[in-house]
Amino acid sequence: MSRTARVERITKETKVLVEIDLDGTGAVEISTGVGFYDHMLHQIARHGGFDLTVQTVGDLEIDAHHTMEDTALALGAAFDQALGDKAGIRRYGSAVVPMDEVLVRAAVDLSGRPYVVHDEPLLAPYIGPVYPTSMTRHIWESFGQAARITLHVDVLRAARPGGHPDAHHVVEAQFKAVSRALREATALDPRAAGAIPSTKGAL
């Protein structure tokens, strides 16, 4: 069974292509024009074990918002498409990821019902010259909506005593935790025998 997808999203603001193989090896080709965002999307492929191609051309002359939002929407739609009817998957996944002083917990339900809860501390406004940290929540909201999943992301610890949160570590740990949770949730369950993991019979 091939669990792959190709999604193109074209608007007056952006042009996005996403290709994904849920049963890949972490092979990745990413280009959005936002360097730190590219780095984060690499985390999804590498720690999720997905083959992932993302090519986005957006109106960065305005700001990064449309580029990041539309990429997240296309990525979510690709996950949803690749999962098909979700027969035989584990459905639920969770991960707790440390990154130096930061600790993040992510939990995923591939429920077919989009709902996102996101909690992080106040961070410096930018990572690098282009990535606005205020967009991280919106990325998860856009991704969760398009993927039709329930997603909880909680930053449990973010700073050394007397120090301030390192925005790079806080955001990167979130992407790694979500990636690990998605890896578990999308995995095929050898005990499920192709069954839909819901008493409703559909997800």
Side-chain angles (χ1 to χ4, degrees):
M1 180 177 63
S2 175
R3 300 198 300 163
T4 63
R6 175 187 172 94
V7 170
E8 290 186 82
R9 178 183 173 87
I10 300 174
T11 72
K12 292 181 179 180
E13 298 163 340
T14 62
K15 181 178 181 180
V16 185
L17 168 66
V18 174
E19 296 178 335
I20 193 166
D21 183 348
L22 299 181
D23 301 306
T25 60
V28 62
E29 183 179 344
I30 309 288
S31 177
T32 68
V34 181
F36 185 75
Y37 195 28
D38 289 357
H39 181 45
M40 294 303 96
L41 295 174
H42 271 79
Q43 307 307 317
I44 290 179
R46 184 64 60 192
H47 294 282
F50 313 121
D51 290 347
L52 180 63
T53 296
V54 178
Q55 297 176 350
T56 303
V57 177
D59 55 356
L60 293 176
E61 71 280 2
I62 296 176
D63 65 13
H65 186 108
H66 299 143
T67 295
M68 296 168 70
E69 176 184 54
D70 288 1
T71 299
L73 288 168
L75 180 62
F79 265 92
D80 186 43
Q81 184 183 123
L83 283 166
D85 65 3
K86 303 177 184 175
I89 64 168
R90 294 185 182 275
R91 176 178 168 176
Y92 295 97
S94 62
V96 177
V97 169
M99 188 168 181
D100 296 351
E101 76 283 5
V102 174
L103 187 66
V104 173
R105 176 180 59 210
V108 173
D109 176 11
L110 305 181
S111 59
R113 300 185 304 276
Y115 197 92
V116 175
V117 177
H118 176 261
D119 181 42
E120 71 176 9
L122 183 65
L123 301 175
Y126 283 90
I127 300 172
V130 183
Y131 184 100
T133 56
S134 61
M135 280 297 295
T136 304
R137 177 194 296 271
H138 193 47
I139 289 168
W140 297 134
E141 289 171 340
S142 300
F143 173 75
Q145 174 189 345
R148 300 189 308 120
I149 65 174
T150 297
L151 173 63
H152 288 243
V153 184
D154 298 293
V155 179
L156 305 178
R157 187 172 298 118
R160 297 182 179 90
H164 298 286
D166 182 319
H168 187 129
H169 286 174
V170 170
V171 175
E172 184 167 342
Q174 290 179 53
F175 274 83
K176 288 179 175 177
V178 171
S179 303
R180 285 285 171 175
L182 286 168
R183 182 180 190 138
E184 181 179 349
T186 60
L188 295 172
D189 186 347
R191 300 175 61 188
I196 302 292
S198 171
T199 56
K200 297 182 178 68
L203 287 173

